[in-house]
């Protein structure tokens, strides 16, 4: 084997010997074993041949390298193509403790070698805590601690987490180049692992392992002596992580028809899960539908709403697709049916950033949700529920052009505040935090009454 780049895909040991590429990711850490202080570091097993390292950055999310899933792939629904097991909070894999979970969904970054892995359950409590992302980039000459579960100089599959000290050589807008040493080299299995700085005694995640020369790693050509690595920067990605974590959407809606709103959770894995209202708590979740992973934000294939369209007191599933169609999937008690078409032409009303936004609520008081159209010119129109379609609509209010997204003057909501069976308009003004209710007067909303300041 000639002396050239040992930038290897973080895959199986067999693949590591079979492929020597100049642009592929890094792979294990020759360093010092550790069993304390890094409870957020995760061991990730993709299928039965691939392993990587990652970091818990939110209660239900692990950040790692997207290249860990190269070959294994990400399904079109955002789920791992192969069964993926994530072990967090167990730096010695021969011991018990920590949290061992399945990965339910993958959200890759559009431009960097990064992916957020959604765990099946939240991790809470003092034993395992997420690591915060650094807010400033790595500086030339700065020393960072890298950690990983990958191969070492003498072990193919180590059972302990290893750490090593690396020095920052340079950085770009998206990457950090690091110099290793005879005792600190990134090897197979370390892809996705953290590079950390300590601030006031606590670690911060500066970058994530992406590629390495692998000098000194077991199984690598002895002629390869380079110990440097290239990481992916994360110090400027706190907003992206926050946005992904917030994608799972909770909607209150009466699913079982008992007059009390249940919690409907749209998971990023595409499932619609209902937690029933038990009076003093919400019950365990039950899946009523699946396949909606690209309908959470409205920026992809569409958006989902939950409201009683059929008049049986149970909220139905309303599907608003990016081709502009509105379909109603009737609540069948334990699932939603295949749906029927109700309206069209709403392709530019998904997020409020284009022509407007849609809402569904019973405005007329007949126990069936109507279609409320909020256009970017500030007008509010009500399209009455006619049993199998919504009519052409009537004008109800004006002046709300800066209340579409919540990023300008505020947001609007619709719900029955007065108890007369007809939805009123809630106005949440973000400049002063006030929530006012404009009462439904039958053909318009009145001037409103301030209810609370948030």
């Amino acid at each position: 084997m000639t002396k050239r780049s040992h930038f290897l895909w973080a895959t199986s040991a067999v693949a590591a010997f079979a492929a020597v590429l100049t642009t592929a990711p890094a792979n294990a850490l020759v360093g010092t074993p550790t069993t304390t202080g890094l409870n957020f570091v995760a061991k990730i097993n993709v299928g039965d041949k691939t392993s990587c390292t990652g970091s818990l950055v939110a209660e239900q999310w692990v950040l790692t390298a997207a290249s860990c899933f190269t070959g294994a792939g990400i399904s079109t629904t955002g789920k791992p193509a192969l069964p993926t097991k994530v072990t967090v909070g167990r730096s010695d894999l021969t011991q018990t403790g920590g949290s061992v979970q399945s990965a339910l969904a993958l959200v890759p970054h559009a431009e960097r070698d990064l992916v957020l892995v959604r765990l099946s359950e939240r991790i809470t409590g003092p034993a395992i805590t997420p690591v915060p992302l650094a807010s400033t980039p790595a500086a030339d000459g700065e020393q960072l601690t890298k950690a990983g579960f990958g191969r070492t100089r003498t072990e193919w599959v180590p059972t302990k987490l290893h750490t090593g000290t690396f020095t920052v050589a340079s950085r770009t807008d998206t990457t950090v180049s690091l110099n290793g040493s005879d005792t600190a080299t990134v090897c197979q299995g370390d892809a996705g692992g953290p590079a950390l700085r300590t601030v006031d005694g606590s670690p911060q995640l500066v970058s994530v392992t992406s590629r390495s020369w692998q000098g000194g790693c077991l199984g690598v050509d002895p002629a390869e002596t380079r110990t440097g690595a290239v990481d992916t920067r994360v110090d400027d990605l706190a907003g992206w992580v926050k946005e992904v974590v917030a994608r799972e959407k909770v909607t209150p809606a009466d699913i079982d028809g008992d007059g009390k709103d249940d919690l409907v959770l749209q998971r990023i894995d595409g499932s619609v899960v209902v937690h029933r209202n038990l009076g003093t708590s919400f019950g365990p979740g039950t899946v009523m539908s699946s396949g909606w992973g690209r309908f959470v934000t409205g920026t992809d294939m569409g958006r989902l709403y939950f409201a009683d369209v059929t008049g049986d007191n149970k909220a139905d599933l309303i599907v608003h697709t990016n081709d502009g169609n509105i379909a109603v999937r009737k609540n069948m008690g334990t699932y939603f049916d295949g749906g029927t078409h109700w309206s069209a032409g709403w392709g530019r009303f998904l997020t409020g950033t284009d022509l407007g936004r849609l809402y569904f609520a019973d405005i007329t008081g007949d126990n069936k949700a109507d279609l409320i159209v909020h256009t970017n010119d500030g007008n509010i129109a009500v399209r009455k529920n006619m049993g199998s379609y919504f009519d052409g609509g009537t004008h109800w209010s004006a002046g709300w052009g800066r209340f579409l997204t919540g990023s300008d003057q505020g947001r609007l909501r619709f719900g029955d505040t007065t108890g007369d069976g007809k939805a009123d308009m809630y106005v949440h003004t973000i400049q002063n935090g006030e929530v006012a209710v404009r009462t439904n007067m039958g053909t318009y909303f009145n001037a409103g009454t301030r209810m609370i300041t948030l």
Side-chain angles (χ1 to χ4, degrees):
M1 185 181 293
T2 59
K3 186 175 181 179
R4 52 177 177 165
S5 168
H6 288 264
F7 282 27
L8 301 181
W9 293 110
T11 55
S12 66
V14 174
F17 283 117
V20 180
L21 307 175
T22 59
T23 58
N27 307 285
L29 191 77
V30 172
T32 304
T34 182
T35 58
T36 59
L38 299 174
N39 59 12
F40 53 83
V41 180
K43 173 68 177 290
I44 303 171
N45 292 96
V46 183
D48 58 1
K49 294 182 179 180
T50 303
S51 66
C52 290
T53 304
S55 302
L56 186 75
V57 294
E59 289 182 346
Q60 206 163 359
W61 295 89
V62 166
L63 182 63
T64 187
S67 47
C68 292
F69 295 89
T70 300
I74 302 173
S75 71
T76 57
T77 62
K79 297 180 180 180
L82 293 175
T84 299
K85 183 179 74 171
V86 182
T87 303
V88 186
R90 188 185 295 177
S91 54
D92 184 345
L93 300 175
T94 65
Q95 302 298 310
T96 58
S99 177
V100 181
Q101 299 190 34
S102 298
L104 293 187
L106 304 174
V107 182
H109 192 276
E111 300 173 347
R112 303 189 193 183
D113 182 19
L114 294 169
V115 64
L116 278 164
V117 181
R118 184 194 183 278
L119 306 179
S120 55
E121 298 179 0
R122 285 178 170 80
I123 297 177
T124 59
I128 305 174
T129 55
V131 60
L133 271 60
S135 58
T136 56
D140 289 356
E142 180 179 6
Q143 290 191 324
L144 300 176
T145 299
K146 294 182 72 63
F149 281 102
R151 189 181 303 170
T152 68
R153 191 183 303 277
T154 58
E155 296 176 284
W156 287 112
V157 185
T159 58
K160 289 185 173 65
L161 180 68
H162 284 67
T163 61
T165 301
F166 290 72
T167 304
V168 177
S170 63
R171 72 171 190 267
T172 69
D173 289 343
T174 58
T175 63
V176 178
S177 293
L178 300 166
N179 291 329
S181 65
D182 290 342
T183 58
T185 302
V186 174
C187 311
Q188 173 110 358
D190 287 330
L196 306 161
R197 72 158 62 102
T198 301
V199 178
D200 296 330
S202 298
Q204 294 182 353
L205 181 59
V206 177
S207 58
V208 166
T209 301
S210 180
R211 307 185 296 273
S212 167
W213 297 103
Q214 297 194 101
C217 298
L218 183 62
V220 173
D221 185 352
E224 179 54 81
T225 60
R226 290 170 290 185
T227 58
V230 177
D231 274 21
T232 303
R233 282 179 57 179
V234 301
D235 57 274
D236 57 343
L237 294 182
W240 173 67
V241 172
K242 182 178 180 180
E243 186 271 328
V244 171
V245 172
R247 285 183 190 177
E248 294 202 323
K249 183 178 179 182
V250 175
T251 304
D254 184 3
I255 297 294
D256 54 13
D258 64 355
K260 298 179 293 184
D261 278 348
D262 308 295
L263 284 186
V264 184
L265 173 63
Q266 286 177 247
R267 284 183 175 168
I268 201 167
D269 65 0
S271 58
V272 173
V273 180
V274 176
H275 294 264
R276 300 188 186 278
N277 186 332
L278 303 179
T280 58
S281 64
F282 292 99
T286 56
V287 177
M288 285 189 65
S289 191
S290 59
W292 305 105
R294 299 174 67 183
F295 284 76
V296 178
T297 64
T299 58
D300 193 353
M301 290 186 65
R303 180 182 291 277
L304 304 184
Y305 312 82
F306 300 88
D308 180 11
V309 176
T310 59
D312 62 358
N313 297 316
K314 297 183 293 184
D316 306 295
L317 169 60
I318 305 164
V319 182
H320 179 186
T321 46
N322 59 9
D323 60 6
N325 288 308
I326 303 290
V328 175
R329 296 197 171 211
K330 185 178 178 180
N331 183 334
M332 305 303 291
T334 57
Y335 66 96
F336 300 103
D337 72 10
T340 57
H341 175 80
W342 273 59
S343 192
W346 307 105
R348 299 174 67 181
F349 285 74
L350 281 159
T351 63
T353 58
D354 193 355
L355 287 181
R357 179 183 289 275
L358 304 183
Y359 313 83
F360 294 86
D362 181 10
I363 298 293
T364 60
D366 63 356
N367 208 38
K368 297 182 292 184
D370 306 294
L371 168 59
I372 305 160
V373 182
H374 180 184
T375 46
N376 60 8
D377 61 5
N379 288 308
I380 303 290
V382 175
R383 296 201 170 208
K384 185 178 178 180
N385 182 331
M386 304 303 292
S388 59
Y389 66 95
F390 301 104
D391 71 8
T394 57
H395 175 79
W396 274 58
S397 191
W400 305 106
R402 300 177 66 182
F403 283 74
L404 280 158
T405 65
S407 60
D408 191 354
Q409 286 198 359
R411 274 296 307 273
L412 304 182
R413 299 289 194 278
F414 296 86
D416 181 11
T417 301
T418 61
D420 62 358
K422 297 182 292 183
D424 307 295
M425 182 165 74
Y426 292 72
V427 181
H428 182 191
T429 306
I430 60 175
Q431 292 171 337
N432 57 19
E434 287 187 358
V435 177
V437 174
R438 297 202 169 207
T439 302
N440 182 333
M441 304 304 292
T443 57
Y444 66 96
F445 300 105
N446 74 3
T449 303
R450 184 177 67 85
M451 301 290 286
I452 192 173
T453 299
L454 300 177

